[in-house]
Each structure stands twice: as C-alpha cells, then as structure tokens.
Amino acid sequence: MESVALTKRYYSISEVAQMFEMNISKLRFWEEQFPSLNPKRDRSGDRKYTQEDINHLTEIVDLVENQGYTIEGAKRALEAKKRKKQEHQAIIDRLTEIKKFMQEIREGLDDKTDETLQSA
C-alpha cells in the first residue's frame, strides 16, 4: 500500500482497492476470509471503510502477501495478537485498580497525619 494520508471518515470499496493496488473482488475475498474485516454498509448496501478497517486490512495484507502467511496462518496470527492485547489490557486494568487503592491508602494516611498534627 502506498503511503496515503487518510483524511476522510469513510472510504468506498473502490478507493480502498486503489489504496492497496488490488481489484475489488480481491478485497471482497479478504472480507469473506477474515470476518473481523467487516466494513459498515450504507442504506444502499455499499461498503464504507473506516480508518480502523483500513488499518486491519493493512495487517492482513502484510501477513499474507508480504510475510508469506497462509490465510489460516494469518487468521491464527491475528487471533493470537488479539488475545495478547486482551491479556495486556487485563494486566493494565488490574494495575490501575492497585494504583487507585494505593492512592486511597495514601490519602487516608495523609488525613491521619493532618489530624495528629492539629491535635498536638
């Protein structure tokens, strides 16, 4: 894919196919093979790709065409990446909870220190 500054909110299938220098039927094929690539459709049924869809398609094309993955291998690689991201998010969420708890303890200790200093 050539480096193009994406400035629109939605892109048509022909615009996306042109970005990736592929024909529209190949793009439809990728949609069939990768259910996670699911662009929105307007009232007339035309596909409308978002920046997120284009980023995902970039990952797919890179895996299959540049890195030599099979379609099944690319699906597994994308799923593994998704699982890893979810695991990292769970760790981040837990650390955020711990941080909040520690801040509450600190505030409680600060309040006790203030009370002790005022009564002395």
Side-chain angles (χ1 to χ4, degrees), residues 34-51:
F34 295 91
S36 57
L37 179 61
N38 188 18
K40 297 184 183 342
R41 293 180 184 254
D42 62 15
R43 289 183 180 182
S44 62
D46 296 331
R47 292 166 174 83
K48 296 296 177 188
Y49 289 81
T50 62
Q51 173 68 50

Side-chain angles (χ1 to χ4, degrees), residues 65-108:
E65 295 187 357
N66 298 337
Q67 296 185 38
Y69 280 71
T70 63
I71 291 173
E72 288 306 314
K75 286 179 186 178
R76 286 191 297 271
L78 289 170
E79 185 59 36
K81 183 178 177 181
K82 181 180 175 184
R83 273 194 311 275
K84 192 171 187 176
K85 187 176 181 180
Q86 289 171 338
E87 290 169 4
H88 288 169
Q89 188 60 51
I91 292 168
I92 290 169
D93 291 345
R94 182 65 180 135
L95 288 172
T96 302
E97 290 174 18
I98 292 169
K99 180 181 177 184
K100 182 180 176 188
F101 175 71
M102 298 298 283
Q103 287 172 333
E104 289 171 358
I105 290 174
R106 183 177 190 176
E107 289 170 6

Side-chain angles (χ1 to χ4, degrees), residues 19-60:
M19 283 181 210
F20 286 90
E21 299 174 353
M22 66 174 66
N23 58 36
I24 293 172
S25 61
K26 186 171 187 178
L27 195 47
R28 288 187 187 119
F29 173 76
W30 291 127
E31 287 177 24
E32 289 174 12
Q33 297 302 310
F34 295 91
S36 57
L37 179 61
N38 188 18
K40 297 184 183 342
R41 293 180 184 254
D42 62 15
R43 289 183 180 182
S44 62
D46 296 331
R47 292 166 174 83
K48 296 296 177 188
Y49 289 81
T50 62
Q51 173 68 50
E52 186 177 316
D53 295 325
I54 293 169
N55 292 343
H56 187 50
L57 182 60
T58 301
E59 285 182 299
I60 292 169

